[in-house]
């Protein structure tokens, strides 16, 4: 049932090359989920998210100082190793400093015909960020039009918005099923859904999601749900870790707060006569990355709501090593969760996860959660 | 062996700079005694705006405060460990961890406990800026906070919409300040402060430009004690007037050929904040007759620059020098925002090439022989893209030395290793110790 999504994720480069060949369109690599994919779909450009390869590498040391997160270095390594040689362009929307370095180094050393830095505002709690972002989107749209040689009309934007919104809606509908006492999909399968969505043509992805939605309600997993866990924190596409927690330790991730998970798709845009303002509003209103979550910590309220809605019993807080924005939020998150009696386990991730030591820690965490049953 | 090549003499304004700095910290601490207000924010905060609340409003700017704590070996360790014990990661900005530690152990280096601010007035371009004060507010049980996002893109791409975004946040901020403090905002005081800021930051750039002279009238270790005044209170008349006096003294030194380092034979620049507990590096360099004449950091953290008619870098011409009269709050805000967006140390946040280009300009115009890059684990903002800067400088033919450290956490600095690197770098430049 999930093979297609898993294949899309595992064979992302084959997919993109094939898409290019059959569509004759351009492919753009993006570095952060604040990039407005609606405009790219409107321009018939395929946006694919650049994620790491989860393998040790030795090519980024001259380019990124070692105090920056392993994810940003892994991402840059994909460029320097020419894994994305099919890209016609690259783009980033302003978020954290770390991933920005991967983008700028890529721009310097693997130049593409189109490269765009979109100054996505940080102060998303100010209404002025909407008009500012709208103006920036206008410039971005103009740059894309110049690149592709095609004007982007309102009808094109409507099409782009619809493609992306549909994807968000379908993913959310599937994620809603995870509220059930025995969710019909695992956290690992859910992870494949979102990750594959970031690197395939969403029109094809939407069709696959619709077919999945028809089958999922009847699906019964031949495994016990175990402890209902939430996982939250930095970028996370660490499939082996998720698999280990669910298949070896016997718990289930029922929800997440990651930019490779719910933060990517949780809210749709709200129709507006001014399409660019509609898109701007969506990115201003989305569940924020910690880089933009100030002065209030709104993400914290969202996490609490997810815990309640999904019956979460314990939370694994993960953080890419050296990820400052998440490091700045984690003490506040742990304090609130502790106050609510929700146990947390903090783990620091690197390019490869040390599964042996992590297994011991996760099992100890789960045992601690089970102690009431024991005695 | 005689080592003196040029005459030297002490800087006459040195004592005054120290006095101004101490007065700043004491004024902040004692503000409440006289019915005044205290606010906290970054060295890049738009400090001209709170100046509109009255002449008895004093700030504590975060980064120089962190550097002050870092310079005190025992106190800094106490602060860093307190932050770590409270759950904050050791790889976060060391100024930030020092600052939080000062709250947690309730110690102020100028006597007494940490003086809690009445409000927070912060800007945000680095990931840590607004988040820094989120934690300060958490630790103090809540402090009214206003943050202004200034990450609108590089100055080369500035548009009216970008300026407006920041101005609009500041206009709202003025209303918020009035509501938070119960004071009426005085536009005349604000406009006066904007003019002071422009004078301060342009004059500081003018001072740094004098260091193009051979021998250099100032060396970087001394410059740290001078530029800091702009990081404390760039919008104050005292700081603007001080820089006017300093410029006159430095021009006089150049006219008379007075050197900062009498045996100058190698000219260098550094990059990013230095490891504050180990400024002895600069004295060690002097044994080779090597003088660091500044850096993009000391020149452009607060100094505002422009390209002059002859193509060289010099202090940005202020609106007042252009004969422009600043009449309204809106006009002053727009000018102030545009002025700040041109800050050299804000440009690399968007692309390292922008910084490499400025560093190459300095290397050429300041007649440098080499560059020392501090890979600063303590500041992700100013270390951003530094590895690409290295590659760019090397490609242009400039010798580059790197050393790893931390501006505010001496546990991450290896003194012996760094000095060994200096020795090797000097050898590669073909210079020997001359004293």
């Amino acid at each position: 049932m999930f093979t297609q999504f898993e294949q899309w994720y595992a064979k992302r480069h084959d997919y993109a090359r094939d898409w290019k060949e059959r569509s004759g369109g351009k492919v753009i690599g993006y570095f952060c989920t604040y990039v407005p994919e609606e405009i790219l779909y409107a321009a018939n450009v395929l946006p694919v998210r650049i994620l790491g390869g989860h393998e040790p590498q030795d090519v980024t040391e001259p380019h990124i100082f070692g105090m920056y997160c392993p994810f940003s270095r892994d991402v840059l390594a994909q460029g320097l190793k020419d894994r994305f040689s099919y890209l016609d362009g690259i783009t980033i929307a302003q978020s954290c400093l770390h991933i920005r370095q991967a983008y700028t180094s890529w721009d310097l050393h693997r130049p593409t015909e189109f490269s765009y830095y979109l100054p996505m505002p940080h102060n998303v709690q100010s209404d002025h960020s909407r008009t500012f972002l709208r103006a920036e989107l206008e410039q971005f749209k103009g740059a894309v039009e110049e690149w592709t040689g095609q004007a982007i009309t309102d009808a094109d934007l409507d099409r782009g918005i619809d493609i992306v919104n549909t994807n968000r809606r379908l993913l959310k509908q599937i994620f809603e099923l995870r509220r059930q006492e025995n969710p019909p999909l695992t956290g690992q399968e859910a992870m494949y859904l979102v990750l594959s969505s970031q690197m395939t043509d969403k029109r094809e992805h939407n069709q696959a999601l619709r077919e999945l939605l028809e089958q999922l309600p009847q699906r019964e997993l031949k495994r016990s749900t175990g402890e209902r866990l939430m996982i939250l924190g930095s970028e996370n596409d660490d499939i082996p870790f998720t698999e280990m927690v669910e298949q070896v330790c016997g718990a289930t991730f029922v929800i997440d707060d990651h930019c490779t998970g719910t933060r990517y798709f949780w809210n749709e845009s709200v129709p507006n006569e001014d399409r660019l303002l509609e898109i701007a509003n969506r990115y201003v209103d989305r569940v924020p990355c910690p880089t933009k979550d100030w002065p209030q910590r709104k993400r914290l309220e969202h996490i609490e709501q997810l815990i309640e809605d999904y019956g979460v019993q314990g939370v694994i807080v993960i953080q890419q090593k050296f990820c400052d924005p998440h490091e700045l939020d984690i003490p506040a998150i742990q304090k609130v969760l502790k106050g609510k009696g929700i146990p947390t386990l903090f783990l620091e991730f690197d390019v490869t996860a040390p599964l042996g030591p992590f297994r011991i820690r996760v099992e100890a965490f789960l045992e601690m959660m089970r102690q009431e049953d024991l005695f | 062996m005689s080592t003196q090549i040029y005459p030297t003499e002490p800087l006459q304004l040195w004592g005054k700079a120290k006095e101004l700095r101490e007065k700043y910290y004491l004024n902040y601490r004692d503000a409440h005694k006289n019915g005044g207000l205290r606010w906290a924010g970054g060295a890049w905060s738009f400090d001209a705006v709170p100046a509109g609340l009255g002449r008895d409003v004093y700030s504590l700017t975060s980064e120089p405060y962190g550097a002050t704590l870092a310079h005190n070996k025992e106190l800094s360790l106490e602060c860093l460990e307190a932050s770590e014990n409270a759950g904050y990661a050791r790889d976060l900005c060391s100024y930030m961890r020092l600052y939080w530690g000062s709250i947690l152990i309730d110690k102020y280096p100028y006597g007494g406990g940490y003086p809690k601010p009445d409000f927070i007035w912060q800007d945000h371009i680095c990931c840590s800026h607004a988040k820094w004060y989120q934690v300060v507010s958490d630790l103090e049980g809540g402090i009214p906070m206003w943050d202004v996002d200034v990450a609108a893109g590089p100055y080369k791409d500035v548009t009216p919409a970008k300026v407006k975004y920041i101005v609009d946040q500041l206009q709202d901020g003025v209303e918020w300040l009035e509501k938070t403090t119960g004071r009426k905002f005085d536009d005349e005081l604000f406009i006066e402060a904007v003019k002071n800021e422009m004078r301060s930051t342009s004059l500081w750039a003018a001072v740094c430009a004098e260091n193009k002279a051979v021998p250099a009238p100032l060396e970087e270790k001394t410059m740290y004690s001078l530029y800091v005044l702009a990081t404390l209170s760039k919008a104050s008349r005292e700081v603007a007037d001080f820089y006017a006096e300093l410029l006159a003294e430095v021009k006089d030194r150049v006219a008379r050929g007075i050197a900062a380092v009498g045996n100058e034979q190698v000219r260098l620049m550094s990059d990013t904040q230095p490891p504050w507990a180990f400024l002895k590096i600069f004295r060690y360099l002097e044994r080779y007759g090597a003088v660091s004449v500044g850096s993009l950091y000391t020149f452009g953290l607060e100094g505002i620059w422009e390209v002059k008619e002859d193509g060289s870098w010099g202090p940005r011409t202020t609106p007042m020098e252009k004969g422009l009269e600043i009449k309204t709050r809106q006009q002053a805000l727009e000018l102030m925002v545009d002025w700040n967006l041109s800050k050299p140390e804000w440009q690399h946040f968007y692309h390292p090439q922008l910084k490499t280009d400025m560093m190459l300009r300095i290397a050429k115009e300041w007649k440098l022989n080499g560059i020392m890059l501090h890979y600063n684990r303590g500041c992700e903002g100013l270390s951003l893209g530094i590895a690409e800067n290295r590659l760019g400088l090397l490609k242009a033919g400039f010798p580059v030395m790197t050393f790893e450290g931390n501006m505010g956490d001496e546990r991450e600095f290896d003194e012996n290793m760094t000095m060994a690197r200096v020795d090797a770098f000097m050898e590669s430049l073909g210079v020997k110790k001359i004293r």
Side-chain angles (χ1 to χ4, degrees), chain A residues 80-198:
Chain A
L80 297 178
K81 289 183 165 185
D82 296 317
R83 301 261 169 83
F84 282 82
S85 54
Y86 51 84
L87 292 181
D88 302 290
I90 54 170
T91 185
I92 190 170
Q94 185 164 262
S95 52
C96 77
L97 302 181
H98 294 223
I99 196 65
R100 199 177 301 179
Q101 283 199 115
Y103 164 76
T104 53
S105 285
W106 195 308
D107 181 55
L108 282 168
H109 302 287
R110 292 293 183 274
T112 50
E113 60 183 47
F114 180 79
S115 179
Y116 199 94
Y117 183 96
L118 175 66
M120 168 74 207
H122 288 305
N123 195 358
V124 291
Q125 291 178 26
S126 162
D127 265 347
H128 299 301
S129 64
R130 299 173 193 277
T131 44
F132 171 64
L133 181 55
R134 194 217 170 276
E136 290 298 331
L137 293 181
E138 182 94 56
Q139 284 199 41
F140 179 63
K141 175 174 157 282
V144 173
E145 286 173 330
E146 194 179 330
W147 173 40
T148 59
Q150 299 289 325
I152 300 173
T153 64
D154 273 0
D156 292 329
L157 286 173
D158 285 342
R159 181 171 42 80
I161 290 168
D162 181 57
I163 291 168
V164 180
N165 266 351
T166 301
N167 194 250
R168 291 169 181 145
R169 194 176 313 127
L170 291 167
L171 282 169
K172 201 167 178 187
Q173 282 172 17
I174 292 170
F175 270 52
E176 290 286 319
L177 299 173
R178 300 170 78 192
R179 292 190 190 206
Q180 295 173 11
E181 192 176 341
N182 291 305
L185 70 163
T186 64
Q188 184 186 344
E189 289 166 338
M191 193 179 239
Y192 279 130
L193 295 183
V194 187
L195 291 170
S196 58
S197 151
Q198 298 184 341

Side-chain angles (χ1 to χ4, degrees), chain A residues 314-325:
Chain A
V315 176
I316 295 186
V317 179
I318 71 109
Q319 169 223 315
Q320 289 285 335
K321 197 173 176 181
F322 305 137
C323 174
D324 295 48

Side-chain angles (χ1 to χ4, degrees), chain A residues 57 59-60 72-83:
Chain A
Q57 51 82 19
V59 294
T60 59
S72 63
R73 281 178 277 139
D74 196 9
V75 163
L76 176 60
Q78 304 311 303
L80 297 178
K81 289 183 165 185
D82 296 317
R83 301 261 169 83

Side-chain angles (χ1 to χ4, degrees), chain B residues 338-413:
Chain B
D338 181 88
W339 185 262
N340 277 275
L341 283 174
S342 73
K343 200 188 299 288
E345 279 283 26
W346 280 7
Q347 309 311 311
H348 76 284
F349 281 96
Y350 310 104
H351 205 293
Q353 191 60 46
L354 299 170
K355 180 172 166 184
T356 301
D357 291 345
M358 287 186 285
M359 293 177 93
L360 286 173
R361 172 186 284 283
I362 294 172
K364 288 170 190 163
E365 291 184 27
W366 274 256
K367 309 166 193 75
L368 304 186
N369 305 98
I371 295 143
M372 293 171 62
L373 300 180
H374 179 204
Y375 277 29
N376 183 358
R377 286 183 165 269
C379 179
E380 63 162 5
L382 295 193
S383 296
L384 183 70
I386 196 166
E388 292 295 357
N389 300 139
R390 173 183 166 270
L391 293 176
L393 293 164
L394 286 172
K395 193 176 171 188
F398 285 94
V400 180
M401 169 199 149
T402 64
F403 65 103
E404 200 162 317
N406 191 312
M407 65 196 179
D409 190 341
E410 66 171 87
R411 296 169 300 179
E412 292 193 326
F413 183 77

Side-chain angles (χ1 to χ4, degrees), chain B residues 245-263:
Chain B
E245 271 188 89
L246 179 65
L247 180 60
E249 184 179 348
V250 174
K251 276 180 180 287
D252 176 61
R253 286 171 76 93
V254 172
R256 294 188 294 117
I258 304 298
V261 175
N263 60 6

